[in-house]
Amino acid sequence: MFRLTISLTDCLDSGSCHGPKWRMEPGDLFIPVDSIEEEATLTCDAKGTPPPQYRWSLNGTLINLGLDRRRHLSGGNLIISNLDRYQDAGMYQCMAYNTVGAILSRIASLQFAYLDHFKVHTRSAVSVREGQGVVLLCGTPTSSGDLTYAWVFNEYPYFVQQDNRRFVSQQTGNLYIAKVESSDVGNYTCVVMNSITKGKVHSSPTSLILRTDGKTQLLPKIEVNFPDNVPAAKGSTVTLECFALGNPVPEITWKRANGIPFPSKVKMKYSNAVLEIPSFQQDDTGGYECVAENKMGKNTATGRLAFYAKPQWIQTMKDTALAIEERLDWECRANGKPKPSYTWLKNGQQLLSEDRIHVADGILSVSALTLSDAGMYQCVAENTHGVIYFAAELMVLASPPDFTGNVLRALLKAKAGTTVALGCKPQAYPIASILWKKGNLPIHTNDRITLSPDGTLRLANVSKSDAGSYTCFARNRFGMSSTTGRLLVTDPTRIIQGPVDMEIIVGESIVLPCQVGSDPVLDVSFSWAFNGQLIAKGDGHFETAGDLMIRNIQLYHAGKYICVVDTDVESLSAVAVLISGPPSPPDMVTVEEVTDSTAQLAWNPGRDNGSPITNYLIQTRTPFTVGWQRVNTVPEIIDGSKLTATVVDLNAWVEYEFRVLAKNSVGVGEPSPVSVKTRTEDAVPDAAPGDVGGGGGSRSELVITWEPVPEELQNGESFGYIIAFRAFGEVSWTHVATSAPGASRYVYRNDSIAPFSPFHVKVGTYNSKGQGPFSPVVTIYSAEIGKLMNVSGIFRATKLFLVFKRTKITKVRAPIQNDTKPETMGKVRVPWNQTSVTVSGLAGNTQYFLTVSAFNTAGTGPFLPAINVTTKKPPPAQPPLNIEWTLIGSQLSLYWEPVLAMESESEVTGYQVSLTFSVAAGFNWHIIHITFILIKPFSDPSGPVDGRTVILFFL
């Protein structure tokens, strides 16, 4: 082990020294013996101030380079000439050191690869009965380095080909033949190659002789297997061999003891004689079983793979600088399997627990540090599979207080009523004690004056009386130092007149005032910001001199203006907002993602025109809408700070356009430019046809009707309808599809359909994505032939009121004939649910023949027997003549000549008299109309007897 004495005097004086840090550590070397005349170089390179020096050890013993002619240093690298297989092989370690300390490198191995020749002798022949198995031994010569094996049959280059009967073990080098056949007779030579030296040697041949004294069948006998416990490194490739002799040739299979199947990375080679597990991990550990089986029986070999891992750091130390007498606490942690153990090194020497030093399980504690504790420390983690080092530097600091670079300000100004903090932070190791004085008097703390542990003096609610000279004194065991500054207390600054909010008019000029009152000793400066950006001098629209003038104001000048007032002791500000109107239109509306029912939008904001944007509105337009429509979004209310939103509740397979509008306190601005047209994704239909019904039609027809699904609800291409129907009482449905998206009617024809038969009907939808929903089931009837019965009529002079009873029909028509023309004179059609009709426009006193029939799309039903009717005579055409009247008191008498009906007219049965008169009510007159119907007899016996009819009115 190295021993090193280090002086830190120069470093303490300069303060610029740093211990060594590795840039490159030595790596393992494997050198072919036939290259022994060449040099071997073990690298070692570290950085540090001053530059490090180097030493090397071999197998723990320091190499004396001054007495060794074959070894020398180049920088930190160790170069070995005239290599000696016996003297130079071993474990090498490099030390880098300077005036701060020393560190050790990882341990590197130097090995020599070689392969000796087989001993020259004649090998005995091997005699074996046909059908038996045989093992031909290789007898590997002494060697170093990885070896590979092969066997030559009879003569080079005819190598033994491995199959289920023959196997060459790369563990033993032997050749195994499970069942010998006559073709196996011959000479066999073992060939060994070193993968590092590339050297190759051949054994003497071994003759295989076949005995013919009988054949036999044998149980499997496993000749090649693996150890009971196989350690495997994390990430390595693990190879297990298993081969058996037997007749018939045994079949090799593998399985895990826990029954878990092999992962896909596991490979089987050479008829399953080799199991290969690449990138070995913890999950691959456990028991493995090889089974060799033929018809005579089976044999097994078992072993266990154990996981191991070299140590790896999970927690390390950092370079640390501590004051003398402070405490050091370091901890390092590494994982590995088995669990690593820890040691600590200082300048390459192992540390043990003693006095102030405590070492335990990766923890190092040193109390009451001294200057001698400074140096380079290393934590070493080690298990049976590797060792790792980590280095950190400990600096122990010792100095008197020093205020260089941290003195009190010569003059400190503070506003009255504020809190003033006077810092006292000298560089001192160990920490200095602090004393404050105002003038020549020590300062005593109270509720208003406090002293922090770091030496800061705080004066709360300062006033003019606190002004003066303040001095901080710092002292430790190495000396004392001080720093002085003066405190000046000023009156508060106030903004007397600040800017105010206003609406702007384009083209005008405005002034935003900013006037202050301040202490005369203070320096005051003004600056203005517009929408968060400082207004630079030289802008053609702005002039600043305390107040801000804006000339020829434009819309884009709307926004937030801040006047900032800075003094030595404080900063004040006043804000005004200039508003020009609603926000400008947003820009760059893009559809970033679309589904069958949603679209995610993004946009850029427009100018807020002086009033912050409070929220955004989204509108959409499709070929099926009239104008722009408001849409639902997530979030439901889009905050003005957001520039993305998701539009929801869209229809599938519809082409949409979007636009965005911004809103502020003034109102809603103009819409953005329209987005690129975007079609939503297609989806299975979710709407069923409406108003499903039907009925009627021609004989043997079932007519089914529905309201077509609008195009915007069809959700995709290849849209059509599925019509399902079944006769009443049946279980199975008949399905018919139509690919016409605008279809609204389907007629099913079948001679077996009875008239007016009930059917259950439903109509569904489909498109290229799949089948949609069906409508609710409704009942309709097939076509029928209608019938009528019991027709009768009531007659007037020119009208006929026809009454009849009906069966289930769709429409009724009534042909009319008169006595002079036997052909049909006219037809009247009425709805199917009406059982009476008034026929007008007939001639009076005329005979007509009438009949009634029902009809529908299946045809016209039979007519009822015709009825013979005669219309009544028309009323008298002559009005009453010679109307006279007399008024006596309240009695009014009317006189007229009676009307005598002609022979072709109907008899007079009465008269209609109308009376109109006015009545006064206050200042208003009301006109009253009265109508009387007078029926015979109506003559007044007290009236005149000149043959005129008289009626009397009493008012």
Side-chain angles (χ1 to χ4, degrees):
M1 185 63 70
F2 302 121
R3 294 199 174 274
L4 189 66
T5 301
I6 295 173
S7 173
L8 297 180
T9 304
D10 294 340
C11 288
L12 291 175
D13 292 342
S14 66
S16 60
C17 291
H18 296 287
K21 293 286 186 181
W22 288 121
R23 280 196 287 243
M24 186 176 295
E25 299 184 64
D28 297 336
L29 291 179
F30 224 133
I31 300 176
V33 169
D34 54 10
S35 303
I36 205 164
E37 295 181 357
E38 299 179 2
E39 292 181 339
T41 301
L42 292 164
T43 58
C44 185
D45 184 30
K47 62 180 180 179
T49 306
Q53 301 180 53
Y54 302 91
R55 293 178 181 175
W56 283 87
S57 69
L58 171 59
N59 296 328
T61 301
L62 181 66
I63 298 175
N64 189 343
L65 297 174
L67 302 177
D68 195 326
R69 296 181 180 179
R70 294 188 306 109
R71 301 185 180 102
H72 68 278
L73 291 181
S74 175
N77 298 338
L78 177 65
I79 299 176
I80 308 173
S81 306
N82 301 320
L83 293 168
D84 187 297
R85 165 177 166 184
Y86 301 100
Q87 292 184 24
D88 295 327
M91 310 302 290
Y92 288 79
Q93 190 170 31
C94 175
M95 170 188 275
Y97 65 94
N98 64 8
T99 54
V100 175
I103 55 174
L104 296 178
S105 72
R106 67 179 296 274
I107 297 174
S109 66
L110 173 58
Q111 302 179 62
F112 292 88
Y114 61 89
L115 175 61
D116 291 340
H117 289 281
F118 283 95
K119 293 180 180 179
V120 179
H121 70 280
T122 302
R123 297 194 175 196
S124 301
V126 176
S127 178
V128 61
R129 181 182 294 118
E130 185 177 3
Q132 288 185 327
V134 69
V135 179
L136 300 183
L137 304 179
C138 180
T140 307
T142 57
S143 64
S144 174
D146 293 335
L147 303 178
T148 58
Y149 299 90
W151 283 78
V152 173
F153 179 51
N154 286 330
E155 61 182 9
Y156 186 83
Y158 297 104
F159 287 93
V160 173
Q161 299 301 311
Q162 300 185 68
D163 52 24
N164 66 334
R165 198 172 59 84
R166 292 169 295 191
F167 177 66
V168 178
S169 171
Q170 298 302 313
Q171 304 293 332
T172 66
N174 300 333
L175 170 62
Y176 300 84
I177 303 177
K179 185 187 82 167
V180 175
E181 298 176 352
S182 58
S183 60
D184 296 324
V185 174
N187 294 320
Y188 291 85
T189 302
C190 180
V191 181
V192 184
M193 186 174 73
N194 190 309
S195 60
I196 297 175
T197 67
K198 307 304 180 184
K200 184 186 299 183
V201 294
H202 296 73
S203 71
S204 301
T206 301
S207 297
L208 179 63
I209 302 173
L210 189 66
R211 290 161 48 191
T212 58
D213 53 351
K215 297 182 179 181
T216 182
Q217 293 185 330
L218 299 172
L219 283 167
K221 179 184 179 184
I222 295 178
E223 289 288 346
V224 182
N225 56 21
F226 45 95
D228 292 338
N229 191 44
V230 180
K234 177 182 179 181
S236 65
T237 297
V238 179
T239 301
L240 302 179
E241 293 183 342
C242 181
F243 192 78
L245 311 183
N247 186 7
V249 176
E251 180 182 352
I252 305 296
T253 58
W254 294 83
K255 62 181 179 180
R256 295 186 66 171
N258 56 15
I260 297 176
F262 290 116
S264 59
K265 70 177 181 177
V266 174
K267 301 175 183 178
M268 307 287 183
K269 297 182 177 180
Y270 304 117
S271 301
N272 292 355
V274 175
L275 174 72
E276 185 177 278
I277 308 173
S279 186
F280 188 80
Q281 301 297 323
Q282 183 84 44
D283 294 342
D284 298 319
T285 59
Y288 286 75
E289 182 177 301
C290 166
V291 180
E293 185 174 8
N294 63 13
K295 69 179 182 179
M296 302 301 296
K298 68 179 179 179
N299 200 353
T300 60
T302 59
R304 189 169 193 83
L305 294 182
F307 177 85
Y308 77 83
K310 298 177 181 179
Q312 286 186 318
W313 291 120
I314 56 176
Q315 180 181 346
T316 55
M317 318 89 68
K318 294 182 179 179
D319 292 343
T320 302
L322 294 174
I324 191 170
E325 298 179 356
E326 287 189 327
R327 176 186 176 91
L328 169 69
D329 288 294
W330 268 339
E331 182 176 5
C332 63
R333 283 281 177 265
N335 56 17
K337 192 173 180 67
K339 183 179 178 181
S341 61
Y342 301 91
T343 55
W344 286 88
L345 305 177
K346 178 189 176 187
N347 297 328
Q349 306 295 322
Q350 184 173 353
L351 281 175
L352 300 174
S353 294
E354 58 179 8
D355 299 333
R356 300 175 297 106
I357 301 174
H358 176 68
V359 177
D361 193 28
I363 296 175
L364 171 64
S365 298
V366 183
S367 59
L369 288 172
T370 66
L371 292 177
S372 63
D373 293 320
M376 296 301 300
Y377 289 78
Q378 286 179 285
C379 178
V380 184
E382 182 177 8
N383 66 12
T384 54
H385 302 287
V387 56
I388 53 176
Y389 296 77
F390 191 87
E393 180 181 349
L394 172 63
M395 297 179 62
V396 179
L397 307 175
S399 68
D402 182 8
F403 285 100
T404 302
N406 203 17
V407 297
L408 281 174
R409 289 170 55 182
L411 176 62
L412 176 64
K413 299 177 183 179
K415 183 178 69 172
T418 61
T419 296
V420 176
L422 301 175
C424 184
K425 298 179 180 179
Q427 186 176 19
Y429 306 102
I431 296 174
S433 60
I434 302 298
L435 173 66
W436 280 92
K437 288 185 178 182
K438 179 182 180 184
N440 295 321
L441 298 177
I443 296 176
H444 300 287
T445 59
N446 53 36
D447 292 342
R448 195 176 64 85
I449 302 175
T450 59
L451 183 63
S452 301
D454 65 354
T456 299
L457 179 67
R458 283 183 170 79
L459 309 176
N461 192 23
V462 294
S463 62
K464 296 280 188 178
S465 62
D466 291 317
S469 176
Y470 288 81
T471 303
C472 171
F473 296 89
R475 181 193 303 271
N476 68 10
R477 71 182 193 180
F478 296 106
M480 184 186 75
S481 184
S482 65
T483 180
T484 301
R486 188 165 69 90
L487 174 64
L488 177 64
V489 179
T490 65
D491 293 326
T493 303
R494 295 174 295 106
I495 295 180
I496 300 172
Q497 182 181 8
V500 295
D501 296 347
M502 65 178 69
E503 291 191 15
I504 61 177
I505 299 175
V506 174
E508 290 189 349
S509 297
I510 63 171
V511 174
L512 298 179
C514 191
Q515 304 293 325
V516 300
S518 62
D519 195 298
V521 302
L522 294 177
D523 294 327
V524 181
S525 64
F526 295 86
S527 59
W528 283 86
F530 171 47
N531 288 338
Q533 299 294 322
L534 190 66
I535 296 177
K537 293 182 178 180
D539 189 309
H541 289 276
F542 297 108
E543 292 182 11
T544 60
D547 297 340
L548 174 67
M549 174 176 281
I550 309 175
R551 297 182 181 276
N552 188 23
I553 201 164
Q554 301 298 312
L555 285 176
Y556 57 80
H557 288 131
K560 186 184 203 179
Y561 289 81
I562 302 177
C563 173
V564 180
V565 181
D566 290 305
T567 71
D568 306 82
V569 298
E570 62 183 320
S571 180
L572 299 85
S573 64
V575 179
V577 177
L578 302 187
I579 303 173
S580 64
S584 298
D587 192 20
M588 297 294 292
V589 179
T590 57
V591 182
E592 296 186 336
E593 186 176 345
V594 67
T595 69
D596 60 354
S597 62
T598 66
Q600 185 172 329
L601 304 186
W603 59 88
N604 292 335
R607 294 190 307 272
D608 61 11
N609 292 333
S611 177
I613 297 173
T614 56
N615 60 285
Y616 288 96
L617 309 174
I618 297 179
Q619 296 176 338
T620 186
R621 179 174 65 184
T622 74
F624 311 106
T625 58
V626 178
W628 290 90
Q629 307 291 327
R630 179 82 178 270
V631 290
N632 296 327
T633 60
V634 174
E636 183 176 354
I637 297 176
I638 306 170
D639 186 80
S641 62
K642 294 184 177 297
L643 298 175
T644 61
T646 300
V647 181
V648 298
D649 301 331
L650 301 178
N651 293 328
W653 200 245
V654 172
E655 199 170 61
Y656 284 90
E657 293 176 291
F658 299 95
R659 68 182 188 183
V660 182
L661 300 88
K663 181 180 180 182
N664 63 12
S665 59
V666 179
V668 178
E670 292 295 316
S672 68
V674 179
S675 70
V676 175
K677 290 182 179 180
T678 303
R679 184 181 291 275
T680 51
E681 294 181 350
D682 54 352
V684 173
D686 52 14
D691 195 22
V692 176
S698 301
R699 189 185 304 272
S700 301
E701 287 185 348
L702 178 66
V703 179
I704 303 169
T705 60
W706 61 89
E707 184 70 28
V709 174
E711 184 178 348
E712 63 267 29
L713 300 180
Q714 293 176 3
N715 287 8
E717 295 180 305
S718 304
F719 182 83
Y721 299 97
I722 301 173
I723 302 99
F725 54 90
R726 65 184 179 190
F728 196 78
E730 291 185 359
V731 176
S732 61
W733 293 85
T734 297
H735 292 84
V736 178
T738 174
S739 59
S744 62
R745 186 174 184 268
Y746 174 75
V747 179
Y748 173 67
R749 296 178 178 86
N750 193 312
D751 293 340
S752 63
I753 298 178
F756 205 66
S757 297
F759 280 80
H760 287 160
V761 174
K762 60 182 179 179
V763 181
T765 55
Y766 72 91
N767 63 16
S768 58
K769 292 290 286 187
Q771 183 175 321
F774 275 93
S775 67
V777 176
V778 298
T779 301
I780 66 173
Y781 292 84
S782 62
E784 63 161 337
I785 302 299
K787 295 181 179 180
L788 292 174
M789 58 189 69
N790 299 340
V791 63
S792 60
I794 301 174
F795 307 99
R796 296 195 178 98
T798 59
K799 291 185 179 180
L800 167 64
F801 184 64
L802 194 63
V803 182
F804 48 87
K805 294 183 179 179
R806 61 176 174 84
T807 59
K808 289 185 176 292
I809 55 178
T810 58
K811 294 182 179 179
V812 177
R813 59 184 176 184
I816 305 173
Q817 301 173 337
N818 63 16
D819 55 348
T820 62
K821 301 178 77 173
E823 70 276 6
T824 300
M825 295 286 295
K827 296 179 180 178
V828 179
R829 295 189 179 189
V830 298
W832 67 273
N833 57 355
Q834 186 172 323
T835 58
S836 63
V837 64
T838 299
V839 182
S840 58
L842 302 179
N845 195 27
T846 305
Q847 185 181 35
Y848 287 89
F849 296 91
L850 297 102
T851 183
V852 181
S853 69
F855 74 96
N856 57 19
T857 55
T860 302
F863 286 96
L864 289 174
I867 60 172
N868 184 353
V869 296
T870 301
T871 55
K872 293 183 179 182
K873 295 179 179 181
Q878 180 68 35
L881 301 175
N882 299 324
I883 299 174
E884 297 179 4
W885 61 273
T886 59
L887 179 60
I888 302 174
S890 61
Q891 179 175 292
L892 174 66
S893 298
L894 296 178
Y895 308 92
W896 63 86
E897 291 183 0
V899 175
L900 299 178
M902 305 290 290
E903 182 178 353
S904 60
E905 296 176 339
S906 58
E907 181 183 357
V908 177
T909 58
Y911 294 92
Q912 177 178 306
V913 179
S914 296
L915 175 65
T916 300
F917 56 93
S918 298
V919 177
F923 294 99
N924 297 318
W925 288 86
H926 297 276
I927 299 174
I928 299 176
H929 301 275
I930 300 177
T931 300
F932 300 93
I933 301 298
L934 305 177
I935 301 175
K936 288 182 176 181
F938 48 77
S939 296
D940 183 1
S942 62
V945 292
D946 57 1
R948 290 183 293 176
T949 302
V950 179
I951 183 169
L952 301 176
F953 290 88
F954 297 92
L955 303 179

